[in-house]
């Protein structure tokens, strides 16, 4: 089959006021590690959070455990970090 690929380059904007930008980049990398997977599963596999921490984060932010990362806006990403 004919395959097309794309390279993504992320550059954080200075005006986002993200306290822990390194952790945010690690979280984004974890999500992109397995496309079409659910956010919870990818974050759990990344070892950035324990299951208990993820459960608490998802509960506090009223996030469905079946949500995919592309469904979140930057405000949710900042909360997760």
């Amino acid at each position: 089959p004919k395959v097309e690929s794309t390279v993504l380059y992320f550059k954080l904007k200075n005006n986002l006021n993200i306290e822990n930008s390194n952790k945010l980049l690690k979280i984004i990398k974890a999500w992109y590690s397995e496309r079409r997977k659910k956010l919870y599963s990818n974050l759990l596999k990344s070892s950035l959070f324990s299951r208990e921490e993820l459960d608490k984060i998802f509960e506090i932010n009223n996030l469905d455990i079946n949500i995919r990362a592309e469904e979140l806006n930057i405000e949710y990403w900042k909360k997760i970090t």
Side-chain angles (χ1 to χ4, degrees):
K2 186 175 181 180
V3 178
E4 293 184 27
S5 62
T6 302
V7 175
L8 299 175
Y9 173 77
F10 292 97
K11 183 176 179 182
L12 291 178
K13 295 181 179 182
N14 291 333
N15 63 348
L16 290 178
N17 296 324
I18 298 173
E19 294 178 22
N20 194 343
S21 60
N22 287 333
K23 190 168 187 179
L24 175 62
L25 291 176
K26 288 179 184 178
I27 291 170
I28 292 171
K29 184 177 179 180
W31 178 73
Y32 278 105
S33 68
E34 294 187 48
R35 289 183 32 192
R36 296 186 289 261
K37 297 286 184 175
K38 295 179 179 140
L39 178 62
Y40 186 91
S41 299
N42 281 347
L43 291 176
L44 192 58
K45 287 179 191 176
S46 74
S47 302
L48 292 170
F49 302 99
S50 68
R51 183 176 297 276
E52 293 79 22
E53 289 173 314
L54 271 182
D55 288 343
K56 186 175 180 180
I57 290 168
F58 274 64
E59 182 181 333
I60 289 170
N61 292 292
N62 295 320
L63 293 174
D64 183 353
I65 200 166
N66 294 314
I67 197 165
R68 298 180 190 278
E70 66 265 18
E71 298 175 49
L72 299 178
N73 64 29
I74 190 66
E75 295 306 315
Y76 278 108
W77 284 107
K78 287 171 26 177
K79 288 179 185 178
I80 290 172
T81 60

